[in-house]
Amino acid sequence: MSDLRVRFAPSPTGYLHIGGARTALFNYLLARKEQGTYILRIEDTDVERSTQQSVDAILQAMDWLGLSYDEGPFYQSERFDLYKQKVQQLLDEGKAYKCYCSAETLTQKREAAMERGDKPQYDETCRDLEPRDDDSPYVIRFKSQRAGATSFNDRIKGTITFENTELDDMIIQRTDGTPTYNFVVVIDDAEMGLTQVIRGDDHVNNTPRQIQIYNALGYALPEFAHVPMILGADKKRLSKRHGATSVMDYRVMGYLPEAMVNYLVRLGWSCGDEEIFSMDDLIEKFSLDNVGRSAGVFNPEKLLWLNEHYIKTGDPQRLGELLKEYLEKDGVQITADIDCAEVVKSLQDRSKTMVEMAEKAAFYFSDSLVFDGKAQAKFITAVLGRERCLARLDHAITLAQ
RNA sequence: GCGCUCAUCGUCUAGCCUGGUCCAGGACACCGCCCUUUCACGGCGGCGACAGGGGUUCGAAUCCCCUUGGGCGUACCA
């Protein structure tokens, strides 16, 4: 056991998507390789958008991929007391302040600034207000450093620096009293003792703000590692427009979890010329050192190829059990006299997905034979004679049995 | 717009840090041939890239600068 501690922290506002799964995988791999601790934390501070169904869907997907965690799942919604306490601490120390600007005014000002071509930043109207007991609605903002710059050494991207003037006073507590992401993520990452924070590229911009909060709260900084985004074929951020982006959709489409894991890990990470990796290989070989810096395009065809590979080389017994599930979904009556492992063996080389295998396997469980149109036209010819051909077939089947 | 960031075949990538062994290697896809009286599998081969321009150097995919293009961010979302 090493003292490495990492986490996967999805927000339960939908299913587990391809990008999230890869982040989860990278974290998992590193934790297992270094024999560290893998933590799962549910980021549900947005009460409006978070649902239990989403949590379940994410948990199920992680389980399917084989990504087990050591601690958690922790729910941020159950830790509001802790966050409140930290907000109060910042307030007491003069590192945060109440802001009475309404959301409407803010939106107006932001739009006006954009029209003028200025930066859409908070104008600090309430930053230096005298503390007062006012029960009109307010949010709490973090008083950011105005001078200097904030920089950090990203494990994947190297040194990244932001001028502090780029960072405005962000909201850490909403009008309704709930805390916001950029604030709680720091508290939890720090309180949970994370040694590295491995997350998507889209968080690079948040990092300097978070660092200021680490500093304000007196926490030690973890190491940051930002992995590049996954894009669609049009080089836009991967979304539903590009097809299935939910990990579990791929299970429905007949993909094996090892194919998904293998595909995902190679998108952004490499190990020389190797393409095929089992989970054990990965735990042995994975390293942040070989993670690339540029965004990658999701390529369903390569995923399909990997799936084909794992079906071809998979254990017939196991695939047989799996096949039954797909067969049942197709409404096929499974009879006990047929050994599914044998069925799998006959179909492994000709199926790219389990769905395809189920389609091809259906005839084993059917009483009536339906011939393939093209094959029938080609082989059951006048020359050979339909009757003789069927007789031969019948003979062949008898022999096979 | 501004900020951050990225840049090798259509796609995923090796090589870049520690310049020469790279007229750039592997994989997916695609094309062709072989195997096969089915469908596939498989084998062999082909097509195909250092974004552009300047430097530095005897020598640059590798180092520096600029340009161009892409991504991300710019929320009382995460």
Side-chain angles (χ1 to χ4, degrees):
Chain A
M1 203 74 163
S2 76
D3 47 13
L4 176 136
R5 291 172 68 80
V6 293
R7 48 75 164 176
F8 175 53
S11 74
T13 53
Y15 49 75
L16 179 64
H17 52 85
I18 301 285
R22 190 185 54 162
T23 305
L25 177 63
F26 281 8
N27 275 285
Y28 171 82
L29 257 17
L30 198 67
R32 290 294 170 264
K33 181 191 168 115
E34 303 295 334
Q35 292 175 300
T37 305
Y38 187 39
I39 300 165
L40 181 64
R41 186 175 72 224
I42 306 297
E43 311 231 317
D44 56 353
T45 53
D46 187 341
V47 188
E48 297 293 304
R49 304 198 308 156
S50 303
T51 66
Q52 187 58 44
Q53 292 99 290
S54 296
V55 173
D56 294 342
I58 291 167
L59 258 30
Q60 198 184 18
M62 287 186 65
D63 186 54
W64 182 63
L65 291 173
L67 308 181
S68 56
Y69 41 89
D70 307 304
E71 292 180 15
F74 297 112
Y75 292 80
Q76 292 188 319
S77 56
E78 292 172 2
R79 298 162 63 83
F80 280 7
D81 285 349
L82 171 64
Y83 310 138
K84 269 254 157 49
Q85 182 191 321
K86 295 296 177 183
V87 168
Q88 194 51 242
Q89 180 185 334
L90 254 25
L91 237 26
D92 294 344
E93 293 171 358
K95 294 173 178 170
Y97 61 92
K98 293 179 180 177
C99 168
Y100 298 91
C101 300
S102 72
E104 296 73 50
T105 341
L106 258 21
T107 313
Q108 264 174 28
K109 283 183 178 176
R110 183 172 29 235
E111 282 165 4
M114 293 226 269
E115 269 175 50
R116 266 181 278 121
D118 291 345
K119 288 183 206 302
Q121 287 195 151
Y122 176 60
D123 64 1
E124 303 185 358
T125 303
C126 304
R127 180 167 168 130
D128 297 311
L129 245 41
E130 286 301 311
R132 53 171 158 152
D133 263 334
D134 188 336
D135 52 6
S136 44
Y138 63 85
V139 297
I140 294 174
R141 288 182 185 271
F142 176 71
K143 197 178 268 187
S144 71
Q145 292 287 316
R146 279 191 284 208
T150 299
S151 70
F152 62 98
N153 199 284
D154 190 275
R155 181 67 198 280
I156 292 168
K157 299 181 176 280
T159 303
I160 299 178
T161 304
F162 288 79
E163 291 299 324
N164 286 158
T165 50
E166 295 297 325
L167 283 23
D168 60 357
D169 292 349
M170 65 172 173
I171 292 172
I172 59 177
Q173 188 181 99
R174 304 183 181 93
T175 308
D176 66 3
T178 58
T180 59
Y181 167 75
N182 277 119
F183 182 63
V184 298
V185 73
V186 169
I187 295 172
D188 284 340
D189 285 345
E191 296 285 339
M192 295 180 183
L194 297 190
T195 53
Q196 7 258 125
V197 169
I198 305 169
R199 75 224 312 191
D201 216 345
D202 48 341
H203 287 289
V204 172
N205 300 273
N206 292 327
T207 309
R209 300 166 180 285
Q210 292 170 10
I211 287 176
Q212 289 201 7
I213 293 189
Y214 273 97
N215 293 154
L217 254 18
Y219 289 132
L221 257 54
E223 178 177 61
F224 293 100
H226 289 98
V227 313
M229 297 277 87
I230 298 178
L231 277 21
D234 58 358
K235 299 285 180 81
K236 299 291 179 199
R237 188 185 189 140
L238 191 66
S239 72
K240 317 98 241 156
R241 294 183 295 111
H242 300 104
T245 52
S246 161
V247 167
M248 290 312 256
D249 281 353
Y250 285 88
R251 180 172 80 163
V252 173
M253 293 188 286
Y255 286 73
L256 263 22
E258 55 267 47
M260 181 57 83
V261 165
N262 198 148
Y263 178 72
L264 251 22
V265 80
R266 278 286 290 110
L267 192 50
W269 173 84
S270 62
C271 184
D273 283 343
E274 290 182 63
E275 292 288 349
I276 305 296
F277 301 93
S278 68
M279 194 63 104
D280 286 343
D281 288 337
L282 292 173
I283 289 170
E284 183 192 330
K285 294 170 178 170
F286 185 78
S287 164
L288 251 21
D289 294 338
N290 305 313
V291 174
R293 291 127 308 198
S294 49
V297 174
F298 179 72
N299 182 352
E301 285 174 333
K302 188 154 184 180
L303 206 207
L304 218 210
W305 171 72
L306 281 162
N307 201 53
E308 197 181 341
H309 169 82
Y310 283 107
I311 283 181
K312 209 176 305 174
T313 58
D315 170 48
Q317 207 65 44
R318 172 197 163 217
L319 294 184
E321 289 308 306
L322 247 179
L323 180 63
K324 287 181 189 169
E325 293 174 23
Y326 289 93
L327 245 16
E328 273 163 14
K329 240 175 274 176
D330 287 349
V332 174
Q333 284 294 327
I334 297 163
T335 43
D337 58 317
I338 292 174
D339 183 349
C340 280
E342 291 303 316
V343 172
V344 167
K345 282 183 194 168
S346 74
L347 264 17
Q348 270 179 306
D349 279 348
R350 23 175 72 74
S351 312
K352 295 181 189 219
T353 68
M354 291 308 291
V355 166
E356 194 184 338
M357 189 185 284
E359 284 166 3
K360 292 187 197 302
F363 89 92
Y364 282 110
F365 303 89
S366 166
D367 290 334
S368 57
L369 273 183
V370 178
F371 295 101
D372 176 75
K374 266 193 277 180
Q376 188 171 0
K378 191 169 180 181
F379 297 102
I380 305 183
T381 60
V383 177
L384 201 51
R386 182 183 163 84
E387 292 310 314
R388 274 179 62 198
C389 187
L390 289 177
R392 282 190 187 186
L393 222 184
D394 198 44
H395 181 60
I397 291 174
T398 313
L399 286 180
Q401 284 170 346

